[in-house]
Amino acid sequence: MIVVMKHGATAQEIAGVVQHIESLGFKAHLSTGEERTIIGVIGDERPVDPETFELCDGVERAVRILHPFKLASRDFHPQDSVVQVNGVSVGGRQVIIMAGPCSVESREQLRETAAAVKAAGAHILRGGAWKPRTSPYSFQGLGLKGLELLREARDEFQLPVVTEVMSVNEVSLIAQYADILQIGARNMQNFSLLNAVGEIQKPVLLKRGPMSTIEELLMAAEYILSRGNQRVILCERGIRTFETATRNTFDINAIPVLKSLTHLPVIADPSHGTGKWELVTPIAKAAIAAGADGVIVEVHPDPAKALSDGAQSLKPDNFAKLVAAIRRVAEAVDRTI
Amino acid sequence: MIVVMKHGATAQEIAGVVQHIESLGFKAHLSTGEERTIIGVIGDERPVDPETFELCDGVERAVRILHPFKLASRDFHPQDSVVQVNGVSVGGRQVIIMAGPCSVESREQLRETAAAVKAAGAHILRGGAWKPRTSPYSFQGLGLKGLELLREARDEFQLPVVTEVMSVNEVSLIAQYADILQIGARNMQNFSLLNAVGEIQKPVLLKRGPMSTIEELLMAAEYILSRGNQRVILCERGIRTFETATRNTFDINAIPVLKSLTHLPVIADPSHGTGKWELVTPIAKAAIAAGADGVIVEVHPDPAKALSDGAQSLKPDNFAKLVAAIRRVAEAVDRTI
Amino acid sequence: MIVVMKHGATAQEIAGVVQHIESLGFKAHLSTGEERTIIGVIGDERPVDPETFELCDGVERAVRILHPFKLASRDFHPQDSVVQVNGVSVGGRQVIIMAGPCSVESREQLRETAAAVKAAGAHILRGGAWKPRTSPYSFQGLGLKGLELLREARDEFQLPVVTEVMSVNEVSLIAQYADILQIGARNMQNFSLLNAVGEIQKPVLLKRGPMSTIEELLMAAEYILSRGNQRVILCERGIRTFETATRNTFDINAIPVLKSLTHLPVIADPSHGTGKWELVTPIAKAAIAAGADGVIVEVHPDPAKALSDGAQSLKPDNFAKLVAAIRRVAEAVDRTI
Amino acid sequence: MIVVMKHGATAQEIAGVVQHIESLGFKAHLSTGEERTIIGVIGDERPVDPETFELCDGVERAVRILHPFKLASRDFHPQDSVVQVNGVSVGGRQVIIMAGPCSVESREQLRETAAAVKAAGAHILRGGAWKPRTSPYSFQGLGLKGLELLREARDEFQLPVVTEVMSVNEVSLIAQYADILQIGARNMQNFSLLNAVGEIQKPVLLKRGPMSTIEELLMAAEYILSRGNQRVILCERGIRTFETATRNTFDINAIPVLKSLTHLPVIADPSHGTGKWELVTPIAKAAIAAGADGVIVEVHPDPAKALSDGAQSLKPDNFAKLVAAIRRVAEAVDRTI
């Protein structure tokens, strides 16, 4: 941490800051410039808020030097982590495709979708049983019935399953049915839930919040990792910006930034990242070209009748074209599907 | 809802949309313009996603006409709601002041703060027992011990207490100790939690998420209201923007916008809305001038030693000055404190 | 400037950075932490981009310590600047009101508006002759004819006039007609134009760009100041965010932040800051409560027929109510109107 | 346009709106729903602001149905436009690479860079002579001398040249030296400048403003097109968001959205879109995968000594690798380089 003193800070104010730094067990290191004195804080600054120094008299601001995450950082874990999910490796050379309906709506709908995505080449089946919806009047998911249908489809089509967990109460139940537990974007900073999935031994798919920075995403991962669960897969799914032409702005920069900051696998969700089915394939191709380890895509046999997220769901035939298209891009960046 | 057809949509495509509208129980109303046909959807559109129409062939987009919230809307409840909290009325002519430490840290810290804010004129005591923190390495709150200390201070200083609930598991416990349950900004779309506080009969302070729209805030309130709890207080606490000079951008526009859209009381949190103690008083004054029904302010006897949010906490003497300052502004807009 | 080396940077890399710092005429100051080495750059860093250091091998990032502006900074000019405009003082104890139509449309429209705002208590008349419009098909302003009408109204009603200059070509012409030259929000970083108005001796009203930071606004002011024109008035007029309920998000925090960083006067534009006439008065009150030195407000005798910005224009009677309302708030913060 | 009446609007208010619609030469088309009456405005709505209706009594809001651009729209020009630049076709099957230094600094620097980018496969040379800089204390470009050096390099290396024009005063001069005139991001809504380049017959590279929507970009193009210059190339170069890990957020979604809305060619600027040289190649690959017609990339022989934008400039050897990488991606999406 660097503490920047105000223009004209007095010797007494500087001494006060030094004392405060030392009282917290750090060493202080003074550097007197022409217009400002700055004071280095030597030691592991991660548990300390910069603001604790900003309150001392004469301080203009304090600046963090280290990233606040450690377990998620590539600095301390240079090799890529590969997360094993029932025989599927996420984060290796192979690009992984997760696909399925936004919500599980019925046995028929799920079977039809699962069969189609399996045939097209998907590795993992997605489907929501509990659904976070902006409106209390919208379809909220089938709940336990949805889990059971996912389990059936999983066994019939031999596809590991990823589904969202919305509440600490449901963690152990869902862990019995699913192969990957998804933390949805709106829950990325639901710290109770992060702690809960950190204490089980199941892979977690952690989606970036639409309002969260890359650093906050890594801090959310740090919660899970620090509780002992090392199998975390990150997912970029678009952020909220001023642009209204698309539902979200897919942050393509986040893919290579995350790959450089962390050893965890990074996948892309072009369905939520765009909100429009016509844009899903171009953005999926872009994400693979930028280095993503996989994609998660919404597919529905009849999107116009979907109970949620129809507008961004692909029909099975378009999904098959997507797989063919990203296979070519994957090869152009020396990866396989 | 209005469905806008693409330039050159065929008669068959238009017929398909009309059929889809009618299959959902609505009436369709055609309007043929020079370049586009548009189709009105007649009926209560609230439970329907515009996207269900955007998937039909030939559709360019669908536009909502009604606000998606109903119980929260002033259209159906023209009078202001006044929320009663143990003899304190939130949403009436009197401007309400909630104040206290970010986190409860110790009996001494809380008693000292409670005594000071009571003396200065606060009506309600705030304090966190469970704390949502970006980093797993930061202080996470005293938990149950914090609740007990809040209860003591509440009884000693005769101040109703507001504290945050982070998880459905803690709702019934916290409801035994607190007079108002706070839903924090990061949990504004934790729908499991919204449902849970909707099912108890305690006032709820619902903070706007830092990247949530005003409409989403009202939809979150709608969750609580639709479960039967009518005592909801809204709180503007700053949104996330590109500006980095302040921790958040306090959305002053949201105050009069909310007052016109909803009958629920609206208070302001200038501490989180700015992130810097020097800015708390000017923004509190601005919020009252714009029509807020109250403020919630962080106060700490020694901010530099606070375990959280020190930078935005006022010392007791500055808090007393804030109360004096906003009293004058309140009078200038025909309100009292 | 602080240069933060990467985890594991070599002695050779550190030496390379030191050498680069010294080659630019600065002194380097080394500080070796547990995980990172940081190097202070001693000297006036303002003309140097941090990125020049980020390119050296082994560097993680470089952080500016000083604000990049100097002439605009309160550090070097602690007293408030008061800008004199034909007998009106902007930036003193009196709150200044600028009002008038978005565009000058006709002699009648301008005279009627000028008479009304003068009667209600406005100090300065606003009106656009050249209009920046998003669409080439929208009304583009009366041009020279508009200037002449402004001049007439100025003389008849004894109100100094502010009008926008959009191009370097028009600076000297407009300077002959207007008392204040306005740089519109979209031109805040039109550096050719900033230089041009920096070279004349007329007050400049510099509006913040809708997606410009406070620091960038001050750097734009620095352009004008550095060319010799010291009479700069800053204007907060709302920024672009994800919120769509209002045209812009008025950044109320910017008012006290600017007042602390700079000596220049700061006024507020609640018309553009909200985009809706019903919100103009509450936000004007808020801005004065937060410390603004004045407001600029759009007024039109018949907003529904306005050729631009009708939705945010007040009718004369509502403008008179606004003046009465902000007078009370001004008094509550020890100012006059 | 659709005019949505308020809940409970009276028959008189509805009649008033109908009258206003008809007075503007449109036809009105009434549709009475259960909770709201909506009124369709039949006719070419492009020159009309929705707000003109929002001012009528009883109106809640007005919603545009048509895109406000026409000449730029694919609706009226379904085929891709291919812009010819001295034998180079922008917008055809071949992906075009523009490369060169941010600023022209000296004959040696420019010649060295031009030779390198030509050898690596670039089709067009970029270089700034007049530079828009945030700080008045930064290097502002060589001006006319820079143009002359660009001309020399153009002739020696047989590369068409693109350079930025910052002011209407410089348009005719720069048009004599350059093959493409660039409108920089900060000038995207400098309407005087757009009109000026619309009146010459040279290709224009129009960069999206960091704060501008896709629709505003197309309206800026509409300005140029409506003045008679049809050779406009659009450029996505990143937008400003809350994320600070990168200089801008490259809006990858904008590529396919623009390709569907307009017939104009769309290229990508991964240098400004990221601000970090390590990210330039992955984002260039992503842009091509998403359908961009080309890229514009900053290259400098010694980035650490660059007078501007060093951090995002590639060294010549890395640029050669970029070309090789995007060639493979281009082939994977059936294009050539």
Side-chain angles (χ1 to χ4, degrees):
Chain A
M1 193 107 52
I2 291 295
V3 179
V4 182
M5 301 301 295
K6 283 186 180 153
H7 185 71
T10 65
Q12 199 179 349
E13 288 168 340
I14 293 169
V17 174
V18 168
Q19 200 172 7
H20 187 46
I21 290 171
E22 293 174 350
S23 78
L24 293 168
F26 297 103
K27 286 189 201 150
H29 182 251
L30 228 72
S31 170
T32 308
E34 288 177 10
E35 296 179 22
R36 289 283 192 286
T37 293
I38 63 175
I39 310 176
V41 179
I42 315 290
D44 183 354
E45 69 185 45
R46 286 187 191 81
V48 184
D49 269 335
E51 55 185 42
T52 180
F53 300 111
E54 288 173 352
L55 269 292
C56 296
D57 291 334
V59 171
E60 185 167 291
R61 63 193 170 109
V63 181
R64 236 180 227 295
I65 295 305
L66 300 181
H67 291 299
F69 47 87
K70 195 159 187 174
L71 301 173
S73 171
R74 208 178 260 284
D75 281 357
F76 300 97
H77 188 308
Q79 301 80 11
D80 286 346
S81 286
V82 177
V83 174
Q84 300 297 338
V85 184
N86 277 15
V88 176
S89 299
V90 184
R93 189 162 169 265
Q94 189 184 29
V95 165
I96 298 303
I97 302 175
M98 308 184 186
C102 173
S103 302
V104 177
E105 298 170 4
S106 69
R107 176 174 289 122
E108 297 63 40
Q109 173 243 22
L110 185 62
R111 285 192 70 232
E112 188 177 341
T113 313
V117 302
K118 173 82 177 188
H123 308 98
I124 292 176
L125 178 65
R126 64 149 290 153
W130 278 269
K131 295 299 308 171
R133 303 303 301 276
T134 305
S135 167
Y137 308 125
S138 299
F139 175 62
Q140 307 275 321
L142 296 182
L144 179 57
K145 178 70 188 165
L147 286 188
E148 290 167 353
L149 294 174
L150 280 169
R151 188 67 176 202
E152 279 181 31
R154 172 187 186 274
D155 294 343
E156 179 176 355
F157 297 99
Q158 295 289 308
L159 285 168
V161 153
V162 54
T163 198
E164 178 164 351
V165 54
M166 283 177 62
S167 172
V168 290
N169 292 341
E170 297 149 6
V171 170
S172 62
L173 176 69
I174 294 180
Q176 292 166 38
Y177 284 85
D179 300 285
I180 306 178
L181 274 65
Q182 176 181 313
I183 303 290
R186 294 191 188 86
N187 276 320
M188 193 201 89
Q189 292 193 317
N190 179 336
F191 301 115
S192 307
L193 188 57
L194 296 176
N195 283 334
V197 299
E199 281 164 8
I200 58 165
Q201 287 305 324
K202 281 272 180 178
V204 174
L205 177 62
L206 177 64
K207 298 188 95 172
R208 179 180 180 186
M211 57 186 82
S212 296
T213 62
I214 290 171
E215 186 174 291
E216 288 167 346
L217 171 60
L218 290 170
M219 290 308 289
E222 191 87 0
Y223 260 90
I224 303 171
L225 297 168
S226 70
R227 290 288 173 133
N229 187 349
Q230 305 306 313
R231 290 195 284 169
V232 177
I233 302 163
L234 304 175
C235 181
E236 161 61 32
R237 47 75 77 205
I239 57 174
R240 179 166 271 183
T241 69
F242 64 84
E243 177 60 68
T244 55
T246 47
R247 181 171 170 185
N248 289 292
T249 297
F250 186 81
D251 183 3
I252 188 80
N253 290 356
I255 307 281
V257 169
L258 282 168
K259 292 301 291 180
S260 91
L261 290 176
T262 185
H263 51 91
L264 298 170
V266 178
I267 71 167
D269 176 349
S271 305
H272 288 88
T274 62
K276 299 195 173 173
W277 71 266
E278 306 96 307
L279 303 175
V280 171
T281 296
I283 301 310
K285 288 153 74 177
I288 301 305
D293 296 309
V295 291
I296 181 164
V297 176
E298 291 185 346
V299 178
H300 194 285
D302 187 357
K305 299 209 170 116
L307 298 177
S308 58
D309 277 359
Q312 67 196 35
S313 295
L314 291 181
K315 293 182 189 171
D317 56 338
N318 283 323
F319 175 69
K321 287 180 199 156
L322 174 145
V323 176
I326 63 174
R327 176 169 287 125
R328 292 180 64 191
V329 175
E331 285 162 4
V333 295
D334 292 322
R335 299 185 78 156
T336 60
I337 283 197
Chain B
M1 192 109 49
I2 291 295
V3 179
V4 182
M5 301 302 294
K6 283 185 182 155
H7 185 71
T10 64
Q12 199 181 352
E13 288 168 339
I14 293 168
V17 174
V18 168
Q19 199 173 10
H20 187 45
I21 289 171
E22 293 173 351
S23 78
L24 293 167
F26 297 103
K27 285 188 201 147
H29 182 251
L30 227 73
S31 169
T32 309
E34 289 178 9
E35 295 180 21
R36 290 280 192 286
T37 294
I38 63 174
I39 310 175
V41 180
I42 316 290
D44 183 354
E45 69 184 46
R46 286 187 190 81
V48 183
D49 269 335
E51 53 186 43
T52 180
F53 301 110
E54 289 172 350
L55 269 292
C56 295
D57 290 334
V59 172
E60 185 167 291
R61 63 194 171 109
V63 182
R64 237 181 226 294
I65 295 304
L66 301 180
H67 291 299
F69 46 88
K70 195 159 188 174
L71 301 173
S73 170
R74 206 178 261 284
D75 280 356
F76 301 95
H77 188 309
Q79 300 81 12
D80 285 347
S81 287
V82 178
V83 174
Q84 299 297 339
V85 185
N86 278 15
V88 177
S89 299
V90 184
R93 189 163 168 262
Q94 188 184 30
V95 166
I96 298 303
I97 302 175
M98 309 185 186
C102 174
S103 302
V104 178
E105 298 170 3
S106 69
R107 175 174 288 122
E108 296 66 39
Q109 172 245 21
L110 185 61
R111 286 193 69 233
E112 189 176 342
T113 311
V117 303
K118 172 83 177 185
H123 308 100
I124 292 177
L125 178 65
R126 63 149 290 153
W130 277 270
K131 296 298 306 169
R133 303 303 302 275
T134 304
S135 166
Y137 309 125
S138 299
F139 175 62
Q140 307 276 320
L142 295 182
L144 179 57
K145 179 70 188 163
L147 285 187
E148 290 167 353
L149 294 174
L150 280 169
R151 188 68 178 202
E152 279 181 31
R154 172 186 185 278
D155 294 342
E156 178 175 356
F157 297 100
Q158 295 290 307
L159 285 169
V161 153
V162 54
T163 197
E164 178 164 352
V165 53
M166 283 176 62
S167 173
V168 290
N169 292 341
E170 297 148 6
V171 170
S172 61
L173 177 69
I174 294 180
Q176 293 167 36
Y177 284 85
D179 300 286
I180 306 178
L181 273 66
Q182 177 181 312
I183 302 289
R186 294 191 189 85
N187 276 320
M188 193 201 88
Q189 292 194 317
N190 180 337
F191 302 113
S192 308
L193 189 56
L194 296 175
N195 283 334
V197 299
E199 282 164 7
I200 60 166
Q201 288 304 328
K202 281 272 180 178
V204 174
L205 177 62
L206 176 64
K207 301 189 93 171
R208 179 181 181 186
M211 220 154 168
S212 297
T213 61
I214 289 171
E215 185 174 292
E216 287 167 346
L217 171 61
L218 290 171
M219 289 308 289
E222 191 86 1
Y223 260 91
I224 302 172
L225 297 168
S226 70
R227 291 287 173 135
N229 187 347
Q230 305 305 315
R231 291 195 284 168
V232 176
I233 303 163
L234 303 175
C235 181
E236 162 60 34
R237 47 76 78 203
I239 57 174
R240 178 166 272 182
T241 69
F242 63 85
E243 177 59 70
T244 55
T246 48
R247 182 173 170 183
N248 289 293
T249 297
F250 186 82
D251 183 3
I252 189 79
N253 290 356
I255 306 281
V257 169
L258 282 168
K259 293 301 290 179
S260 90
L261 290 177
T262 186
H263 52 90
L264 299 171
V266 178
I267 70 167
D269 176 348
S271 305
H272 288 87
T274 62
K276 298 196 175 175
W277 71 266
E278 305 97 308
L279 303 176
V280 172
T281 296
I283 301 310
K285 289 154 72 178
I288 300 306
D293 296 308
V295 290
I296 181 164
V297 176
E298 290 186 347
V299 179
H300 194 285
D302 187 355
K305 299 209 169 117
L307 297 178
S308 58
D309 277 358
Q312 66 195 37
S313 296
L314 291 181
K315 293 181 188 172
D317 56 338
N318 283 324
F319 175 70
K321 286 180 199 157
L322 173 145
V323 176
I326 63 174
R327 176 169 286 127
R328 292 181 63 192
V329 175
E331 286 161 4
V333 295
D334 292 322
R335 299 186 78 157
T336 60
I337 283 198
Chain C
M1 192 108 50
I2 291 295
V3 179
V4 182
M5 302 301 294
K6 284 186 181 154
H7 185 72
T10 64
Q12 200 181 351
E13 288 170 339
I14 293 169
V17 174
V18 169
Q19 199 173 8
H20 187 46
I21 290 170
E22 292 173 352
S23 77
L24 293 167
F26 297 103
K27 285 187 200 151
H29 182 251
L30 227 73
S31 169
T32 308
E34 287 178 10
E35 296 180 21
R36 290 283 192 286
T37 293
I38 61 174
I39 310 176
V41 179
I42 316 290
D44 183 353
E45 68 185 47
R46 284 186 192 82
V48 183
D49 269 334
E51 56 186 41
T52 180
F53 300 111
E54 289 173 350
L55 268 292
C56 295
D57 291 334
V59 172
E60 185 167 291
R61 64 195 170 108
V63 182
R64 236 179 227 296
I65 295 304
L66 301 180
H67 291 300
F69 47 87
K70 195 158 188 173
L71 300 173
S73 171
R74 206 177 262 284
D75 281 356
F76 301 97
H77 188 308
Q79 300 81 12
D80 285 347
S81 286
V82 177
V83 174
Q84 299 298 337
V85 184
N86 278 15
V88 177
S89 299
V90 184
R93 189 163 168 264
Q94 189 183 30
V95 165
I96 298 304
I97 302 175
M98 309 184 185
C102 173
S103 301
V104 178
E105 299 169 4
S106 69
R107 175 173 289 120
E108 297 64 38
Q109 172 244 23
L110 186 61
R111 285 194 68 235
E112 188 176 342
T113 312
V117 303
K118 173 82 177 186
H123 308 99
I124 292 175
L125 178 65
R126 63 150 289 154
W130 279 269
K131 296 299 306 171
R133 303 303 301 276
T134 305
S135 167
Y137 309 125
S138 300
F139 176 62
Q140 308 275 321
L142 296 182
L144 179 56
K145 178 70 187 166
L147 285 187
E148 290 167 353
L149 294 174
L150 280 169
R151 189 67 177 202
E152 280 181 30
R154 171 187 186 274
D155 295 342
E156 178 176 357
F157 297 99
Q158 295 289 308
L159 285 169
V161 153
V162 54
T163 198
E164 178 164 352
V165 55
M166 283 177 62
S167 172
V168 290
N169 292 343
E170 298 148 5
V171 170
S172 61
L173 176 70
I174 294 180
Q176 292 167 37
Y177 285 84
D179 300 285
I180 306 178
L181 274 66
Q182 176 182 312
I183 302 290
R186 294 193 189 83
N187 275 321
M188 193 201 88
Q189 292 194 317
N190 180 336
F191 302 114
S192 308
L193 188 57
L194 296 176
N195 282 335
V197 299
E199 280 164 10
I200 60 166
Q201 287 304 324
K202 280 272 179 178
V204 175
L205 177 61
L206 177 64
K207 300 189 92 172
R208 180 181 180 185
M211 220 156 169
S212 297
T213 61
I214 289 171
E215 185 173 292
E216 287 166 347
L217 171 61
L218 291 170
M219 290 308 289
E222 191 87 2
Y223 260 90
I224 303 172
L225 298 168
S226 70
R227 290 287 173 134
N229 186 349
Q230 304 305 315
R231 290 195 285 168
V232 177
I233 302 164
L234 304 176
C235 181
E236 162 60 33
R237 47 76 76 203
I239 57 174
R240 179 166 271 181
T241 69
F242 63 87
E243 178 58 69
T244 56
T246 47
R247 181 173 170 182
N248 289 293
T249 297
F250 187 81
D251 184 2
I252 189 80
N253 290 355
I255 307 281
V257 169
L258 282 168
K259 292 301 290 181
S260 91
L261 290 177
T262 185
H263 51 91
L264 299 170
V266 178
I267 71 167
D269 176 348
S271 305
H272 287 87
T274 63
K276 298 195 176 175
W277 70 267
E278 306 96 307
L279 303 175
V280 171
T281 296
I283 302 309
K285 288 153 74 178
I288 301 306
D293 295 310
V295 290
I296 181 164
V297 176
E298 290 185 348
V299 179
H300 194 285
D302 188 356
K305 300 211 171 115
L307 297 177
S308 58
D309 277 0
Q312 67 196 36
S313 295
L314 291 181
K315 292 182 189 171
D317 57 339
N318 283 324
F319 176 69
K321 287 179 199 157
L322 174 144
V323 176
I326 64 175
R327 176 169 287 126
R328 292 180 64 191
V329 174
E331 285 161 5
V333 295
D334 293 322
R335 300 185 78 155
T336 60
I337 283 198
Chain D
M1 192 110 50
I2 291 294
V3 179
V4 182
M5 302 301 296
K6 283 186 182 155
H7 185 71
T10 64
Q12 199 180 353
E13 287 169 339
I14 293 168
V17 174
V18 168
Q19 199 172 9
H20 187 45
I21 289 170
E22 292 173 350
S23 78
L24 293 168
F26 296 103
K27 285 188 200 146
H29 182 252
L30 227 72
S31 169
T32 308
E34 290 177 8
E35 296 180 21
R36 291 281 193 287
T37 292
I38 62 174
I39 310 175
V41 180
I42 316 290
D44 183 354
E45 69 185 46
R46 286 187 191 81
V48 183
D49 269 333
E51 54 186 42
T52 180
F53 300 110
E54 289 173 351
L55 269 292
C56 295
D57 290 333
V59 171
E60 185 167 292
R61 64 196 170 106
V63 182
R64 235 180 229 295
I65 295 303
L66 300 180
H67 292 298
F69 47 88
K70 195 157 187 174
L71 301 173
S73 171
R74 206 178 263 282
D75 280 356
F76 301 95
H77 188 309
Q79 300 80 13
D80 286 347
S81 286
V82 177
V83 174
Q84 299 298 338
V85 185
N86 277 16
V88 177
S89 300
V90 184
R93 190 163 167 263
Q94 188 183 31
V95 165
I96 298 304
I97 302 175
M98 308 184 186
C102 174
S103 302
V104 177
E105 299 170 3
S106 70
R107 175 174 289 122
E108 295 66 37
Q109 172 245 20
L110 186 61
R111 287 192 68 235
E112 189 176 342
T113 311
V117 302
K118 173 82 177 187
H123 308 100
I124 292 176
L125 178 65
R126 63 149 290 155
W130 278 269
K131 295 299 307 170
R133 303 303 301 275
T134 305
S135 168
Y137 309 125
S138 299
F139 174 63
Q140 307 275 320
L142 295 181
L144 180 56
K145 178 71 188 163
L147 286 187
E148 291 167 351
L149 294 174
L150 279 168
R151 188 69 178 200
E152 279 181 31
R154 173 187 186 274
D155 294 342
E156 179 175 356
F157 297 100
Q158 295 290 307
L159 285 168
V161 153
V162 54
T163 197
E164 178 164 352
V165 53
M166 284 177 60
S167 173
V168 289
N169 292 341
E170 296 148 7
V171 170
S172 61
L173 176 69
I174 294 180
Q176 293 167 37
Y177 285 85
D179 300 285
I180 306 178
L181 274 65
Q182 177 181 312
I183 303 290
R186 294 191 189 85
N187 275 321
M188 193 202 87
Q189 291 193 317
N190 180 335
F191 301 113
S192 309
L193 189 55
L194 296 176
N195 283 334
V197 299
E199 282 163 7
I200 59 167
Q201 287 304 326
K202 280 272 181 178
V204 174
L205 177 61
L206 176 64
K207 300 189 94 172
R208 179 180 180 186
M211 58 186 82
S212 297
T213 61
I214 289 170
E215 185 174 292
E216 287 167 346
L217 171 60
L218 291 171
M219 290 307 289
E222 191 85 2
Y223 261 91
I224 302 171
L225 297 168
S226 70
R227 291 287 172 135
N229 187 348
Q230 306 305 315
R231 290 194 285 167
V232 177
I233 303 163
L234 304 175
C235 181
E236 161 62 33
R237 47 75 76 203
I239 57 174
R240 179 165 271 183
T241 69
F242 64 85
E243 178 59 70
T244 55
T246 48
R247 181 172 171 184
N248 290 294
T249 297
F250 186 81
D251 184 3
I252 188 80
N253 290 355
I255 306 281
V257 169
L258 282 168
K259 292 301 290 181
S260 89
L261 290 176
T262 185
H263 53 90
L264 299 170
V266 178
I267 70 167
D269 176 348
S271 305
H272 288 88
T274 62
K276 298 194 175 175
W277 71 267
E278 305 98 308
L279 303 176
V280 171
T281 296
I283 301 310
K285 288 152 75 179
I288 301 306
D293 296 310
V295 292
I296 181 164
V297 176
E298 291 185 348
V299 178
H300 195 284
D302 187 355
K305 299 208 170 117
L307 297 178
S308 57
D309 278 359
Q312 67 195 36
S313 295
L314 291 180
K315 293 182 188 171
D317 56 340
N318 282 324
F319 175 70
K321 287 179 198 157
L322 173 144
V323 175
I326 64 174
R327 175 168 288 126
R328 292 180 65 191
V329 175
E331 286 162 4
V333 294
D334 292 323
R335 299 186 77 157
T336 60
I337 283 197

